Every structure is written in structure tokens, then in C-alpha cells.
Amino acid sequence: MQELTLAVVGIDFPNGDGSNRRSEAMMTLPGEPVALSPEPKNKHDSNAIAVISPRGVQIGYLSAERAPYIGGRMSRGEDLEAIFQGVDGGLAFIRVRFGGGAPTLPTTVREASPASVRHRRPTSASEPDAFYPDDEGSEWGA
């Protein structure tokens, strides 16, 4: 079993049907399930993986750095579940879990120990959906 936090990029671009990715990301609650949809025929990146909200609206894409890794594991048939984690600036974040079971959200700063607070990006109290990295590991989730 392995859990990762992954960046979702492109939330400020419109979808082909005119829907607004940022609005959809803002309406998606932390912990709601999201779908990952590989797009091997994507003209910009054959490794692209779209992130789809519970309402079936695209929020964005996994980052180009992480998509090949996640796509490879998906193509090997590994069990994967994903949930929405939050929005921070120009990015959204999801939490994925390989190996069965639902992913867990990392503790928020209000719940975190002083040791984990040092890894936190500066945010204001008015940003309840801010991204909080795992206590251990790098901020990009692996």
C-alpha cells in the first residue's frame, strides 16, 4: 500500500465544453472521489491523465512529471483510488492510494504537530482549502 499527494495542473484553462475547471475544483470537497482518465491520444502529451470530479467535469491534468509514473502503474492493473485534497493557488491536489482501500487526507495545519508545520507553505487563515504536504517526503508527493 502506498499513498501519494499529486498536483493537478491546468485548472485555469477552460474545458472543451466551456465548463470552468477552477470553479469545479472549488466546488469539489476534500475527500470526494475523483477519477483518473488516461488520454493516450492527447496531442500535447501521450502520457496525459485527466482528473475528473465526482460530477464528471474535468478539473485538470496530473503534472507531466508524475503522469508517466501513475499511468504506468494504472496500465499494469494496480488497484488505485483517488480523492480530492484541495486547491492552493494555481494548483489543485489529489490524494491517491495504491494497493486497495481509500486514501486518507493528510492532517491540516490546525491538527498538525509543530514538527510538520515547518513543511507547510505559507497561507493565511482565510485559505481553508490550502495544500498541506505529508509530514515526511517532498512536497510533490513521492
Side-chain angles (χ1 to χ4, degrees):
M1 162 180 56
Q2 178 186 24
E3 288 194 15
L4 304 168
T5 292
L6 301 170
V8 179
V9 300
I11 67 170
D12 288 322
F13 290 94
N15 288 320
D17 64 2
S19 59
N20 186 301
R21 293 179 186 176
R22 178 172 286 278
S23 292
E24 189 63 25
M26 298 301 289
M27 290 189 307
T28 305
L29 299 174
E32 283 191 291
V34 294
L36 302 181
S37 178
E39 294 183 354
K41 295 182 180 180
N42 184 299
K43 66 180 180 178
H44 302 289
D45 182 358
S46 62
N47 293 311
I49 299 176
V51 179
I52 311 298
S53 79
R55 288 161 295 284
V57 177
Q58 183 177 354
I59 296 171
Y61 288 95
L62 293 185
S63 69
E65 294 81 17
R66 302 306 285 162
Y69 173 72
I70 300 301
R73 292 185 73 171
M74 290 173 71
S75 69
R76 287 192 296 275
E78 289 191 50
D79 190 21
L80 167 104
E81 288 196 40
I83 59 173
F84 189 76
Q85 186 170 330
V87 177
D88 185 22
L91 299 173
F93 294 89
I94 63 169
R95 187 80 171 169
V96 299
R97 181 175 182 155
F98 289 99
T104 57
L105 291 173
T107 57
T108 63
V109 171
R110 287 176 283 288
E111 302 166 5
S113 68
S116 65
V117 171
R118 72 174 187 267
H119 298 292
R120 180 181 162 280
R121 289 184 185 168
T123 60
S124 70
S126 66
E127 292 181 300
D129 294 331
F131 164 67
Y132 305 104
D134 298 331
D135 290 342
E136 297 179 18
S138 63
E139 288 190 24
W140 50 269

